[in-house]
Amino acid sequence: MTAVVPLAAAGLLAGGWALAGPGGAGPGGPPDGGDARGGGPAGASPGTSAPGGGEPGAAPSGGLPGQASADPSADPSGDPSGGPLAGKVVVIDPGHNPGNFRHPDEINKQVDIGTNRKECDTTGTSTRDGYAEAAFTLDVSHRLRDALRRLGATVELTHDADRPFGPCIDERARIGNLAGGGKGADAVVSVHADGSAVGNRGHHVILPGLVKEGAADTAPIVAPSRRLGERIEAEFARATGSAPANYLGGGTGLDVRKDLGGLNLSTVPKVFVECGNMQDPKDAALLSDAAWRQKAAQGIANGVGTYLLG
């Protein structure tokens, strides 16, 4: 891993731009869901908890008390033109869509991901108490959006539960590629939670592998995406107290994948953040806690900030 620039050295603590929220680090201990092994978006690796990801028949819940506002017009950040990330464009990709489960035909439609074809999207996973990954990812994405805007970044979301389903994984990639008026985002973060086996705990960041096939050519983004992922993993751990995943990545909190359309089709630096495992009761308790989700969002924002500031 490359050296992680401390927040103070990166300038994020200067001028009142600190992102660390009240309460410091999260609860002690480690805490494709998502597009990761063990359950998630289209074409997740074997071991998913149900075909297409998620619990069989699980419908997204409305979330929990204390979730961030879903109003995309709400901007508590003040003037986004100031701050250390002014001029930077970040795309946040909330994994899945709360309405996906109502549209099985549409989300099961195959799309081209360069190396092969996969489903448009999936429903995602959920905790055993019914807290859906789609609700979790949207909540964390709102919190992350607000944190990055406070630092001056221009932030775009791939969706805000403002469409019946999707977008499909290929469209999610295009949104990042064409952000900032067509110039492409400076960084894209896809927010997820995993759906692996009980006892599998902790966070990990999925990085694009080298793919040059069909419409996919990740050669230009492999190195910068790794730097982005390393910064996010380190700052996520610092903010939440979560340990790197104990079931993949060899304790690094990083996992390289070549089978995810959202990464294969990206032309800008992009990573997936698997914040924890919704199927493990201890991780699920963290993911279901609004205060912990705020720390998770702040950790991701810190990582994006240190990456963008070099």
Side-chain angles (χ1 to χ4, degrees):
M1 294 175 64
T2 58
V4 176
V5 178
L7 293 182
L12 290 180
L13 296 182
W17 295 108
L19 288 179
D32 204 314
D35 222 340
R37 294 183 177 93
S45 299
T48 55
S49 54
E55 286 288 286
S61 72
L64 301 176
Q67 285 192 307
S69 168
D71 180 3
S73 65
D75 182 6
S77 61
D79 182 3
S81 63
L85 300 186
K88 301 295 185 181
V89 176
V90 180
V91 168
I92 302 171
D93 179 27
H96 314 290
N97 181 319
N100 277 357
F101 77 101
R102 299 187 184 94
H103 298 272
D105 292 340
E106 291 88 348
I107 67 170
N108 285 324
K109 181 180 178 181
Q110 299 273 307
V111 299
D112 182 12
I113 67 164
T115 54
N116 55 20
R117 298 181 70 83
K118 286 189 174 181
E119 294 89 347
C120 159
D121 201 1
T122 70
T123 60
T125 188
S126 68
T127 68
R128 299 190 176 196
D129 292 333
Y131 182 43
E133 182 187 1
F136 169 83
T137 64
L138 198 61
D139 179 67
V140 172
S141 294
H142 288 153
R143 298 172 188 273
L144 175 57
R145 171 199 62 193
D146 294 345
L148 289 169
R149 283 180 175 175
R150 284 192 291 270
L151 289 170
T154 298
V155 181
E156 301 179 24
L157 269 63
T158 58
H159 77 94
D160 202 8
D162 50 355
R163 52 191 295 166
F165 64 91
C168 294
I169 54 179
D170 57 339
E171 183 182 353
R172 290 172 187 263
R174 285 195 298 273
I175 292 171
N177 297 344
L178 299 175
K183 296 179 181 179
D186 294 292
V188 182
V189 179
S190 191
V191 179
H192 287 273
D194 211 351
S196 189
V198 174
N200 289 346
R201 300 197 59 199
H203 65 272
H204 66 280
V205 180
I206 304 176
L207 314 176
L210 181 59
V211 175
K212 297 187 73 172
E213 188 174 344
D217 182 3
T218 62
I221 70 163
V222 166
S225 295
R226 173 168 284 273
R227 291 194 297 272
L228 172 62
E230 289 172 342
R231 300 295 172 86
I232 290 176
E233 191 284 321
E235 295 299 339
F236 187 95
R238 191 194 314 272
T240 63
S242 166
N246 63 6
Y247 57 102
L248 49 71
T252 65
L254 303 173
D255 186 31
V256 178
R257 300 279 297 274
K258 297 182 180 181
D259 61 329
L260 304 181
L263 297 180
N264 288 359
L265 299 176
S266 183
T267 59
V268 296
K270 181 174 181 177
V271 299
F272 281 55
V273 181
E274 297 282 354
C275 297
N277 175 19
M278 285 193 143
Q279 291 295 294
D280 179 84
K282 293 180 180 178
D283 265 15
L286 298 176
L287 298 165
S288 300
D289 180 71
W292 189 91
R293 294 196 300 272
Q294 181 65 28
K295 293 170 186 174
Q298 290 166 345
I300 297 170
N302 288 350
V304 172
T306 57
Y307 165 78
L308 292 177
L309 291 173

